[in-house]
Amino acid sequence: MLKQTEKFETGQSIPWSEVIEKLPYNADGLIPAIAQQFDSKEVLMMAWMNQTSIEETLDTGRVCYYSRSRQQLWRKGESSGQVQLLKEMRLDCDGDTILLQVDQTGPACHTGRKSCFYNLIKDGKLTVDKSPLIDPEELYGNS
Amino acid sequence: MLKQTEKFETGQSIPWSEVIEKLPYNADGLIPAIAQQFDSKEVLMMAWMNQTSIEETLDTGRVCYYSRSRQQLWRKGESSGQVQLLKEMRLDCDGDTILLQVDQTGPACHTGRKSCFYNLIKDGKLTVDKSPLIDPEELYGNS
Protein backbone atom coordinates (compact mmCIF):
# COMPACT_ATOMS: atom_id res chain seq x y z
CA MET A 1 0.00 0.00 0.00
CA LEU A 2 2.84 2.36 0.86
CA LYS A 3 4.78 1.28 -2.22
CA GLN A 4 4.74 4.92 -3.38
CA THR A 5 6.74 6.19 -0.39
CA GLU A 6 9.55 3.63 -0.76
CA LYS A 7 11.47 5.87 -3.14
CA PHE A 8 10.59 9.18 -1.46
CA GLU A 9 13.44 11.51 -0.62
CA THR A 10 13.91 12.30 3.08
CA GLY A 11 11.34 14.98 3.98
CA GLN A 12 8.92 14.12 1.17
CA SER A 13 5.33 13.60 2.35
CA ILE A 14 1.75 12.76 1.37
CA PRO A 15 -1.48 13.77 3.12
CA TRP A 16 -2.34 11.34 5.91
CA SER A 17 -6.00 11.49 4.83
CA GLU A 18 -4.99 9.73 1.59
CA VAL A 19 -3.39 6.90 3.56
CA ILE A 20 -5.38 6.03 6.68
CA GLU A 21 -8.40 4.48 4.97
CA LYS A 22 -6.28 2.43 2.59
CA LEU A 23 -3.96 0.81 5.12
CA PRO A 24 -3.71 -2.99 4.81
CA TYR A 25 -6.00 -3.76 7.77
CA ASN A 26 -6.39 -7.51 8.33
CA ALA A 27 -9.69 -9.36 7.93
CA ASP A 28 -10.77 -8.05 11.34
CA GLY A 29 -9.91 -4.45 10.38
CA LEU A 30 -6.83 -4.40 12.59
CA ILE A 31 -3.12 -3.55 12.39
CA PRO A 32 -0.51 -4.61 14.98
CA ALA A 33 1.04 -1.75 16.97
CA ILE A 34 4.31 -1.92 18.90
CA ALA A 35 4.68 0.44 21.88
CA GLN A 36 8.20 1.58 22.77
CA GLN A 37 9.07 3.79 25.76
CA PHE A 38 10.35 6.92 24.00
CA ASP A 39 13.36 7.66 26.24
CA SER A 40 14.63 4.27 27.46
CA LYS A 41 13.70 2.63 24.11
CA GLU A 42 12.38 -0.41 25.97
CA VAL A 43 9.75 -2.28 23.93
CA LEU A 44 6.74 -2.37 26.23
CA MET A 45 4.01 -4.34 24.45
CA MET A 46 2.30 -5.22 21.19
CA ALA A 47 -1.43 -4.69 20.72
CA TRP A 48 -3.87 -3.99 17.87
CA MET A 49 -5.42 -0.84 16.45
CA ASN A 50 -8.33 -0.24 14.08
CA GLN A 51 -8.91 2.91 12.05
CA THR A 52 -10.98 4.54 14.80
CA SER A 53 -8.36 3.87 17.48
CA ILE A 54 -5.59 5.24 15.24
CA GLU A 55 -7.61 8.43 14.65
CA GLU A 56 -8.48 8.82 18.33
CA THR A 57 -4.83 8.31 19.35
CA LEU A 58 -3.65 11.00 16.94
CA ASP A 59 -6.47 13.37 17.98
CA THR A 60 -6.10 13.02 21.74
CA GLY A 61 -2.40 12.20 22.15
CA ARG A 62 -3.38 9.32 24.42
CA VAL A 63 -2.95 5.79 23.06
CA CYS A 64 -6.13 3.90 22.26
CA TYR A 65 -5.99 0.29 21.04
CA TYR A 66 -8.70 -2.13 19.95
CA SER A 67 -9.22 -5.02 22.35
CA ARG A 68 -9.71 -8.27 20.43
CA SER A 69 -11.00 -10.10 23.51
CA ARG A 70 -13.49 -7.40 24.49
CA GLN A 71 -14.16 -6.33 20.88
CA GLN A 72 -14.14 -2.66 21.74
CA LEU A 73 -11.86 0.37 21.89
CA TRP A 74 -9.34 0.07 24.70
CA ARG A 75 -8.07 3.38 26.04
CA LYS A 76 -4.86 2.12 27.60
CA GLY A 77 -5.00 2.72 31.34
CA GLU A 78 -8.78 3.17 31.54
CA SER A 79 -9.06 0.57 34.32
CA SER A 80 -5.48 0.58 35.68
CA GLY A 81 -4.69 4.30 35.42
CA GLN A 82 -1.44 3.38 33.61
CA VAL A 83 -1.92 5.51 30.50
CA GLN A 84 0.32 5.88 27.46
CA LEU A 85 0.94 9.37 26.09
CA LEU A 86 1.80 9.42 22.40
CA LYS A 87 5.15 10.90 21.44
CA GLU A 88 5.32 9.67 17.85
CA MET A 89 3.51 7.36 15.43
CA ARG A 90 5.18 5.56 12.49
CA LEU A 91 4.26 3.01 9.85
CA ASP A 92 6.59 0.42 8.37
CA CYS A 93 7.50 0.06 4.69
CA ASP A 94 4.39 -1.87 3.71
CA GLY A 95 2.08 -0.02 6.08
CA ASP A 96 0.99 -3.11 7.98
CA THR A 97 2.70 -2.43 11.33
CA ILE A 98 2.57 0.67 13.55
CA LEU A 99 5.38 1.78 15.87
CA LEU A 100 4.35 4.06 18.73
CA GLN A 101 6.82 6.03 20.80
CA VAL A 102 5.01 6.51 24.11
CA ASP A 103 5.50 7.79 27.61
CA GLN A 104 4.12 5.00 29.78
CA THR A 105 2.86 5.84 33.27
CA GLY A 106 3.96 2.97 35.52
CA PRO A 107 3.75 -0.57 34.15
CA ALA A 108 2.51 -1.34 30.63
CA CYS A 109 1.82 -4.98 31.52
CA HIS A 110 -1.29 -6.24 33.33
CA THR A 111 1.05 -8.29 35.55
CA GLY A 112 2.43 -5.04 36.98
CA ARG A 113 5.74 -5.31 35.08
CA LYS A 114 7.03 -2.34 33.07
CA SER A 115 7.19 -4.40 29.85
CA CYS A 116 5.18 -7.43 28.76
CA PHE A 117 8.39 -9.10 27.47
CA TYR A 118 9.59 -10.64 30.74
CA ASN A 119 9.83 -14.24 29.48
CA LEU A 120 13.43 -14.88 28.38
CA ILE A 121 14.10 -17.96 26.24
CA LYS A 122 17.63 -19.21 26.83
CA ASP A 123 19.51 -22.47 27.37
CA GLY A 124 16.41 -24.63 26.89
CA LYS A 125 14.39 -22.75 29.49
CA LEU A 126 11.83 -19.97 29.62
CA THR A 127 12.84 -17.80 32.57
CA VAL A 128 11.01 -14.83 34.06
CA ASP A 129 13.65 -12.13 34.54
CA LYS A 130 11.66 -9.01 35.40
CA SER A 131 9.75 -8.20 38.59
CA PRO A 132 6.45 -6.32 38.93
CA LEU A 133 6.71 -2.61 39.79
CA ILE A 134 3.27 -2.81 41.40
CA ASP A 135 1.13 -5.70 42.60
CA PRO A 136 -1.53 -6.15 39.88
CA GLU A 137 -4.18 -6.31 42.59
CA GLU A 138 -3.37 -2.68 43.33
CA LEU A 139 -3.92 -1.84 39.67
CA TYR A 140 -7.16 -3.71 39.13
CA GLY A 141 -8.56 -4.32 42.62
CA ASN A 142 -9.07 -7.74 44.16
CA SER A 143 -11.57 -9.12 41.67
CA MET B 1 -1.00 -19.94 27.51
CA LEU B 2 1.76 -18.42 29.65
CA LYS B 3 -0.69 -17.71 32.47
CA GLN B 4 1.45 -19.90 34.74
CA THR B 5 4.53 -17.66 34.48
CA GLU B 6 2.68 -14.42 35.36
CA LYS B 7 3.24 -14.95 39.06
CA PHE B 8 6.73 -16.45 38.80
CA GLU B 9 9.47 -14.95 40.95
CA THR B 10 12.37 -13.39 39.06
CA GLY B 11 14.67 -16.23 38.02
CA GLN B 12 11.98 -18.91 38.08
CA SER B 13 11.81 -21.00 34.88
CA ILE B 14 10.08 -23.83 33.02
CA PRO B 15 11.50 -26.09 30.30
CA TRP B 16 11.18 -24.46 26.86
CA SER B 17 10.16 -27.86 25.44
CA GLU B 18 6.96 -27.62 27.49
CA VAL B 19 6.14 -24.24 25.95
CA ILE B 20 7.08 -24.10 22.27
CA GLU B 21 4.44 -26.48 20.93
CA LYS B 22 1.67 -24.87 22.96
CA LEU B 23 2.23 -21.24 21.97
CA PRO B 24 -0.90 -19.42 20.74
CA TYR B 25 0.00 -19.61 17.04
CA ASN B 26 -2.66 -17.98 14.84
CA ALA B 27 -4.79 -19.89 12.32
CA ASP B 28 -1.81 -19.91 9.92
CA GLY B 29 0.53 -21.28 12.62
CA LEU B 30 2.33 -17.96 13.01
CA ILE B 31 3.35 -15.52 15.78
CA PRO B 32 4.44 -11.91 15.17
CA ALA B 33 8.09 -11.17 15.96
CA ILE B 34 9.56 -7.71 16.58
CA ALA B 35 13.27 -7.26 15.79
CA GLN B 36 15.17 -4.64 17.81
CA GLN B 37 18.83 -3.72 17.26
CA PHE B 38 20.39 -4.91 20.54
CA ASP B 39 22.72 -1.94 21.17
CA SER B 40 20.98 1.13 19.69
CA LYS B 41 17.53 -0.25 20.70
CA GLU B 42 16.10 0.89 17.36
CA VAL B 43 13.05 -1.18 16.35
CA LEU B 44 13.99 -2.53 12.93
CA MET B 45 11.00 -4.51 11.64
CA MET B 46 8.11 -6.81 12.43
CA ALA B 47 7.74 -10.18 10.70
CA TRP B 48 6.24 -13.60 11.42
CA MET B 49 7.64 -16.86 12.77
CA ASN B 50 6.28 -20.41 12.85
CA GLN B 51 7.44 -23.16 15.19
CA THR B 52 10.11 -24.37 12.77
CA SER B 53 11.57 -20.89 12.27
CA ILE B 54 11.65 -20.29 16.04
CA GLU B 55 13.50 -23.58 16.55
CA GLU B 56 15.94 -22.88 13.72
CA THR B 57 16.65 -19.38 15.03
CA LEU B 58 17.45 -20.69 18.51
CA ASP B 59 19.55 -23.56 17.09
CA THR B 60 21.62 -21.54 14.62
CA GLY B 61 21.73 -18.07 16.24
CA ARG B 62 20.70 -16.56 12.92
CA VAL B 63 17.18 -15.19 12.61
CA CYS B 64 14.79 -17.15 10.41
CA TYR B 65 11.23 -15.89 9.81
CA TYR B 66 8.32 -17.37 7.87
CA SER B 67 7.45 -15.45 4.72
CA ARG B 68 3.68 -15.15 4.34
CA SER B 69 3.95 -14.02 0.71
CA ARG B 70 6.34 -16.80 -0.34
CA GLN B 71 4.88 -19.33 2.15
CA GLN B 72 8.28 -20.64 3.14
CA LEU B 73 11.04 -20.19 5.70
CA TRP B 74 12.85 -16.89 5.22
CA ARG B 75 16.41 -16.85 6.47
CA LYS B 76 16.80 -13.09 6.85
CA GLY B 77 19.53 -11.91 4.50
CA GLU B 78 19.51 -15.00 2.25
CA SER B 79 19.13 -12.85 -0.86
CA SER B 80 20.45 -9.48 0.39
CA GLY B 81 23.31 -10.68 2.61
CA GLN B 82 21.92 -8.47 5.40
CA VAL B 83 21.62 -11.13 8.11
CA GLN B 84 20.36 -10.82 11.68
CA LEU B 85 22.34 -12.51 14.42
CA LEU B 86 20.25 -13.42 17.46
CA LYS B 87 21.27 -11.87 20.77
CA GLU B 88 18.14 -12.68 22.78
CA MET B 89 14.62 -14.05 22.34
CA ARG B 90 11.65 -13.16 24.58
CA LEU B 91 7.91 -13.82 24.73
CA ASP B 92 5.30 -11.43 26.06
CA CYS B 93 2.90 -12.10 28.93
CA ASP B 94 0.39 -14.08 26.90
CA GLY B 95 2.96 -15.74 24.66
CA ASP B 96 1.56 -14.36 21.42
CA THR B 97 4.35 -11.93 20.49
CA ILE B 98 8.11 -12.51 20.21
CA LEU B 99 10.75 -9.85 20.83
CA LEU B 100 14.14 -10.50 19.22
CA GLN B 101 17.26 -8.59 20.15
CA VAL B 102 19.42 -8.85 17.04
CA ASP B 103 22.61 -7.58 15.51
CA GLN B 104 21.57 -6.46 12.04
CA THR B 105 24.17 -6.37 9.28
CA GLY B 106 23.44 -3.25 7.21
CA PRO B 107 19.80 -2.36 6.54
CA ALA B 108 16.91 -4.46 7.83
CA CYS B 109 14.51 -2.96 5.28
CA HIS B 110 14.19 -4.07 1.66
CA THR B 111 14.27 -0.35 0.71
CA GLY B 112 17.86 -0.15 1.95
CA ARG B 113 16.94 1.74 5.14
CA LYS B 114 18.21 0.56 8.51
CA SER B 115 14.66 0.27 9.92
CA CYS B 116 11.35 -0.36 8.16
CA PHE B 117 9.69 2.37 10.27
CA TYR B 118 10.64 5.38 8.16
CA ASN B 119 7.07 6.70 7.63
CA LEU B 120 6.38 9.34 10.30
CA ILE B 121 2.75 10.39 10.84
CA LYS B 122 2.59 13.95 12.07
CA ASP B 123 0.62 17.16 11.47
CA GLY B 124 -1.76 15.51 9.00
CA LYS B 125 1.02 14.16 6.82
CA LEU B 126 2.93 10.94 6.33
CA THR B 127 6.56 11.97 5.88
CA VAL B 128 9.55 9.80 5.01
CA ASP B 129 12.31 10.84 7.44
CA LYS B 130 15.01 8.21 6.95
CA SER B 131 17.33 7.68 3.99
CA PRO B 132 18.58 4.39 2.55
CA LEU B 133 22.03 3.24 3.70
CA ILE B 134 22.39 1.33 0.44
CA ASP B 135 20.58 1.48 -2.89
CA PRO B 136 18.23 -1.55 -2.87
CA GLU B 137 19.40 -2.40 -6.38
CA GLU B 138 22.80 -3.13 -4.86
CA LEU B 139 21.17 -5.49 -2.38
CA TYR B 140 18.94 -7.40 -4.78
CA GLY B 141 20.33 -6.72 -8.24
CA ASN B 142 18.47 -4.95 -11.02
CA SER B 143 15.55 -7.31 -11.38
Side-chain angles (χ1 to χ4, degrees):
Chain A
M1 189 273 124
L2 286 176
K3 203 83 189 161
Q4 64 184 123
T5 79
E6 288 187 6
K7 291 185 183 295
F8 274 17
E9 298 292 325
T10 304
Q12 200 174 342
S13 65
I14 47 173
W16 174 233
S17 58
E18 290 181 14
V19 177
I20 184 166
E21 291 185 9
K22 297 178 191 160
L23 292 178
Y25 301 99
N26 71 11
D28 297 318
L30 302 175
I31 291 185
I34 302 161
Q36 183 175 29
Q37 174 64 31
F38 81 102
D39 45 8
S40 70
K41 301 294 177 197
E42 184 174 22
V43 175
L44 299 172
M45 57 182 284
M46 204 279 276
W48 297 80
M49 298 180 103
N50 65 4
Q51 186 180 328
T52 304
S53 71
I54 294 171
E55 289 170 333
E56 177 173 316
T57 298
L58 288 167
D59 286 348
T60 65
R62 183 177 153 190
V63 180
C64 176
Y65 298 102
Y66 183 84
S67 168
R68 295 181 299 172
S69 55
R70 288 182 281 129
Q71 297 198 295
Q72 62 183 42
L73 293 178
W74 164 31
R75 293 168 186 96
K76 177 71 180 161
E78 62 195 348
S79 55
S80 67
Q82 312 299 300
V83 302
Q84 288 181 348
L85 297 182
L86 181 71
K87 293 287 186 175
E88 190 181 89
M89 187 185 289
R90 292 177 174 275
L91 278 168
D92 72 351
C93 49
D94 44 16
D96 67 0
T97 307
I98 293 167
L99 177 62
L100 305 168
Q101 299 292 337
V102 304
D103 194 5
Q104 169 73 54
T105 302
C109 185
H110 75 287
T111 66
R113 295 176 177 90
K114 184 76 185 181
S115 161
C116 294
F117 294 97
Y118 55 80
N119 293 298
L120 175 67
I121 299 150
K122 192 178 175 186
D123 300 335
K125 292 181 294 188
L126 182 152
T127 304
V128 170
D129 72 348
K130 294 179 193 297
S131 314
L133 305 176
I134 301 176
D135 185 324
E137 292 196 355
E138 279 186 45
L139 293 176
Y140 301 99
N142 295 305
S143 59
Chain B
M1 189 273 126
L2 286 177
K3 204 83 187 160
Q4 63 183 122
T5 79
E6 288 188 5
K7 291 186 182 293
F8 274 19
E9 298 292 324
T10 303
Q12 199 174 342
S13 65
I14 48 173
W16 173 235
S17 58
E18 290 179 13
V19 176
I20 184 166
E21 291 185 7
K22 297 178 191 161
L23 292 177
Y25 300 100
N26 71 12
D28 297 318
L30 303 175
I31 290 184
I34 302 159
Q36 183 175 28
Q37 175 64 30
F38 81 103
D39 45 8
S40 70
K41 301 296 177 195
E42 185 174 22
V43 176
L44 300 172
M45 58 182 285
M46 203 279 278
W48 297 80
M49 299 180 101
N50 65 3
Q51 187 180 329
T52 303
S53 72
I54 295 170
E55 288 170 332
E56 178 174 315
T57 298
L58 288 167
D59 285 348
T60 65
R62 184 178 152 190
V63 179
C64 175
Y65 297 103
Y66 183 84
S67 167
R68 294 180 301 172
S69 55
R70 288 182 282 129
Q71 297 198 296
Q72 61 183 41
L73 292 178
W74 165 30
R75 293 170 186 93
K76 176 72 181 160
E78 63 195 349
S79 55
S80 67
Q82 312 299 302
V83 301
Q84 289 181 347
L85 297 182
L86 181 71
K87 293 288 186 176
E88 191 182 89
M89 185 185 290
R90 292 178 174 274
L91 279 169
D92 73 350
C93 49
D94 44 15
D96 67 1
T97 307
I98 293 168
L99 177 61
L100 304 169
Q101 299 292 337
V102 304
D103 193 6
Q104 169 73 53
T105 301
C109 186
H110 75 286
T111 65
R113 296 176 177 90
K114 184 73 184 183
S115 161
C116 295
F117 294 96
Y118 55 80
N119 293 297
L120 175 67
I121 299 150
K122 191 178 175 184
D123 299 334
K125 291 181 294 186
L126 183 151
T127 304
V128 169
D129 71 349
K130 295 179 193 296
S131 313
L133 305 177
I134 303 176
D135 185 324
E137 291 196 355
E138 277 185 47
L139 293 176
Y140 301 99
N142 295 307
S143 59

